[in-house]
């Protein structure tokens, strides 16, 4: 029996965060997560069972953009080398956004780790997981410095936490900018998709 994946949604938009901000991308959102972060703004409980071939058929119409982001939830719970290879054979550069607590398919092109250890009681991000980019949610309380030590070779992003309170968000953004000015190996990541009101 062919393997199926629990897919919450597949959509075409612009990458709103991190190193690839503004780049057109096909997003494959996997259902389910191994963490329960208090600030999570993603509904990923609903899903459709899809085979790799069904996923390929769904994304083919956007292959001109050449960029796919596996996201979630936590995509490492399901994404595997077979699916990644199938997407690459269609001409896609495949990125993944992960919390870094689980091993990843070794053929992923770009790995973004967004560690959540400061916010919940969970295993730390795995040092052995390759990271091309590390995107840390900045809450003004937890120091991001350990991630710069752990993933110093990666592109380092700080993203102000979206608390749902405009005044608090503004203060966190100011603090985040001040932190980056003192620690210029970090880069500011804003949720551009929320600012311009796109999915």
């Amino acid at each position: 029996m062919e393997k199926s994946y629990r897919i919450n949604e597949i959509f075409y938009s612009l990458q709103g965060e991190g190193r690839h901000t503004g780049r057109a991308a096909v997003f494959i959102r996997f259902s389910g997560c191994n963490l329960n972060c208090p600030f999570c703004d993603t509904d990923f409980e609903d899903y459709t069972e899809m085979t790799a071939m069904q996923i390929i058929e769904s994304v083919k119409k956007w292959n001109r953009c050449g960029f796919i982001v596996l996201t979630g939830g936590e995509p490492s719970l399901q994404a595997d080398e077979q699916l990644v290879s199938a997407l690459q054979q269609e001409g896609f550069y495949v990125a993944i956004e992960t919390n870094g607590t689980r091993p990843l398919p070794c053929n992923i092109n770009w790995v973004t780790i967004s560690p959540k250890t400061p916010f919940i009681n969970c295993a730390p991000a795995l040092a052995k997981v390759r990271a091309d980019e590390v995107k840390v949610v900045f809450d003004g309380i937890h120091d991001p410095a350990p991630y710069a030590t752990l993933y110093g070779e990666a592109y380092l992003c700080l993203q102000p936490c979206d608390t749902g309170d405009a005044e608090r968000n503004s203060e966190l953004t100011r603090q985040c900018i001040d932190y980056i000015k003192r620690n210029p190996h970090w880069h500011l990541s804003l949720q551009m998709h929320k600012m311009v009101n796109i999915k």
Side-chain angles (χ1 to χ4, degrees):
M1 184 175 174
E2 190 174 359
K3 178 177 177 177
S4 63
Y5 305 86
R6 296 184 306 278
I7 304 299
N8 176 269
E9 60 180 337
I10 297 174
F11 62 97
Y12 183 49
S13 188
L14 301 183
Q15 174 59 280
E17 305 171 350
R19 182 70 179 89
H20 293 286
T21 294
R23 183 175 180 181
V26 180
F27 292 85
I28 300 176
R29 186 180 304 285
F30 290 83
S31 181
C33 188
N34 60 332
L35 305 181
N36 186 21
C37 301
F39 52 81
C40 184
D41 59 1
T42 304
D43 175 15
F44 51 78
E45 293 303 317
D46 293 333
Y47 62 87
T48 301
E49 295 272 352
M50 298 179 75
T51 65
M53 286 310 301
Q54 289 171 322
I55 292 171
I56 294 297
E57 285 304 311
S58 294
V59 303
K60 273 174 132 176
K61 59 189 168 194
W62 298 304
N63 66 356
R64 183 176 174 194
C65 93
F67 185 49
I68 276 189
V69 179
L70 308 180
T71 187
E74 176 47 50
S76 68
L77 293 169
Q78 299 180 64
D80 55 23
E81 290 178 28
Q82 174 192 345
L83 178 60
V84 173
S85 290
L87 293 168
Q88 289 167 336
Q89 287 168 16
E90 291 297 320
F92 287 102
Y93 182 92
V94 181
I96 192 168
E97 296 178 350
T98 174
N99 58 36
T101 60
R102 297 177 44 82
L104 302 173
C106 65
N107 53 346
I108 292 280
N109 297 108
W110 182 268
V111 176
T112 299
I113 292 181
S114 184
K116 304 300 191 294
T117 29
F119 306 102
I120 54 176
N121 184 18
C122 70
L126 301 174
K128 65 181 178 182
V129 173
R130 180 187 117 223
D132 299 295
E133 170 183 24
V134 175
K135 183 180 64 183
V136 177
V137 176
F138 183 86
D139 67 351
I141 299 168
H142 300 92
D143 186 358
Y147 296 107
T149 301
L150 186 58
Y151 298 108
E153 74 291 348
Y155 186 87
L156 301 172
C157 296
L158 277 187
Q159 183 167 294
C161 185
D162 183 357
T163 65
D165 177 279
E167 188 173 328
R168 178 65 179 145
N169 286 356
S170 179
E171 174 60 20
L172 282 176
T173 300
R174 185 194 63 75
Q175 290 178 25
C176 187
I177 291 168
D178 287 346
Y179 185 93
I180 293 169
K181 287 164 92 174
R182 294 191 308 274
N183 302 274
H185 49 284
W186 289 94
H187 302 83
L188 181 64
S189 174
L190 300 175
Q191 293 181 299
M192 181 270 291
H193 54 293
K194 292 183 179 180
M195 296 175 181
V196 299
N197 196 28
I198 59 170
K199 184 173 187 173

